[in-house]
Amino acid sequence: MISGCIFIDSSDRKELLEYMRQTAKQKLALQIIDRLKTAYPNSGCSLTYNEAWKLLVSVRLAAQCTDARVNIVVEKLYEKFPTMEAIASASVDEIEEIVRPCGLGKSKAKDIVACMNDLIERFDGKVPDEMELLLSLPGVGRKSANLVLGDIYGKPAIVTDTHCIRLVNRMGLVNGITEPHKVEKELWKIIPAEEGNAFCHRLVDHGREICTARTKPYCDKCVLEDICKKNIAK
Ligand code: SF4
């Protein structure tokens, strides 16, 4: 009996290896999603808002600022300018005076006033539900657009903030990628579309409580201790 031999050329081998790597990451991603679901059943956006346009305001203010501070500042903002129209008609200086505690006051105020004007003029006051249209608004990047798509419209979304980027690298879901758009692209390959939004909210909670940035991560208290690449590599 002649035993069979299969010859694989180098480009096929590369493809096969890549396929195996992706499959392993998909499997790991599903395990992580499941465990984080159990650990953080109620994760959600920590910015407070009751209308879609207010989420756009908050997320612009949240750049390099804590969500807790943004929540305090927007209360003051809406006391004086309670509607989209009121903000659109305000001067940049007036808005800047209120949002200054969030940092980058001038540019944030400029974007917020321009964004509210755009929403009124181009979208009849309604926050759009498509990535490209959201990205056409002043001060709205992919992170904000994904947050709106996921939280307001329940569409597939992956929000790559600093917690997400730090954690998915540590866990081994991406390898040494820190550019937000590239991380998003990699995660789309391995995270089921319907899980992306909630997964990212859970990463934020996990990043604040356990897999912290400023201290050493508390791996001994982590529900991913036995499957996380960083912990296994110790
Ligand atoms: S095991 Fe450690 S490094 Fe990995 S996710 Fe948990 S806390 Fe972070």
Side-chain angles (χ1 to χ4, degrees):
M1 187 171 147
I2 302 167
S3 61
C5 263
I6 300 171
F7 292 101
I8 304 176
D9 71 23
S10 70
S11 75
D12 283 350
R13 192 160 48 235
K14 249 172 118 181
E15 236 174 74
L16 184 63
L17 278 174
E18 183 51 31
Y19 172 77
M20 286 165 70
R21 258 197 294 269
Q22 283 302 112
T23 308
K25 277 186 187 175
Q26 275 165 354
K27 204 176 140 207
L28 176 64
L30 292 180
Q31 279 181 296
I32 293 173
I33 286 170
D34 263 7
R35 292 195 193 183
L36 291 183
K37 257 184 204 174
T38 308
Y40 307 97
N42 301 317
S43 285
C45 185
S46 48
L47 294 167
T48 48
Y49 62 93
N50 55 10
E51 292 181 74
W53 65 270
K54 290 184 178 176
L55 178 58
L56 279 179
V57 171
S58 289
V59 79
R60 179 65 190 98
L61 292 176
Q64 295 177 41
C65 180
T66 62
D67 290 357
R69 178 168 294 183
V70 171
N71 290 339
I72 294 168
V73 167
V74 290
E75 259 188 49
K76 288 183 187 153
L77 179 66
Y78 302 140
E79 260 170 36
K80 195 162 178 196
F81 302 100
T83 62
M84 184 190 296
E85 289 75 12
I87 296 180
S89 317
S91 71
V92 170
D93 288 348
E94 284 176 302
I95 302 296
E96 186 194 356
E97 205 180 305
I98 302 173
V99 304
R100 195 173 292 128
C102 295
L104 308 170
K106 190 86 179 171
S107 93
K108 288 180 180 179
K110 220 171 126 196
D111 282 343
I112 288 168
V113 171
C115 183
M116 296 304 115
N117 274 294
D118 244 23
L119 281 179
I120 294 165
E121 284 160 22
R122 294 171 53 214
F123 300 103
D124 209 15
K126 190 174 180 308
V127 174
D129 64 353
E130 285 172 37
M131 174 63 82
E132 291 313 312
L133 297 178
L134 284 162
L135 292 177
S136 73
L137 291 166
V140 177
R142 289 193 70 84
K143 183 183 137 192
S144 317
N146 268 309
L147 195 62
V148 168
L149 290 176
D151 280 5
I152 302 288
Y153 294 112
K155 289 190 168 186
I158 288 183
V159 178
T160 47
D161 67 355
T162 54
H163 291 292
C164 170
I165 293 169
R166 180 178 76 257
L167 267 68
V168 295
N169 271 286
R170 284 179 177 172
M171 293 167 178
L173 295 180
V174 303
N175 300 112
I177 305 174
T178 53
E179 207 264 295
H181 192 185
K182 286 186 186 160
V183 173
E184 187 192 326
K185 247 173 103 181
E186 288 303 301
L187 291 179
W188 277 121
K189 295 179 196 164
I190 55 172
I191 306 285
E194 70 281 7
E195 299 284 357
N197 189 47
F199 174 63
C200 292
H201 283 313
R202 293 191 174 106
L203 288 181
V204 174
D205 286 343
H206 195 57
R208 284 179 179 149
E209 289 174 25
I210 305 286
C211 195
T212 48
R214 290 197 181 91
T215 59
K216 242 175 102 189
Y218 301 105
C219 300
D220 53 329
K221 295 182 189 161
C222 181
V223 292
L224 309 173
E225 193 185 3
D226 58 323
I227 53 173
C228 169
K229 186 187 88 178
K230 182 175 169 68
N231 195 49
I232 290 169
K234 272 179 190 168

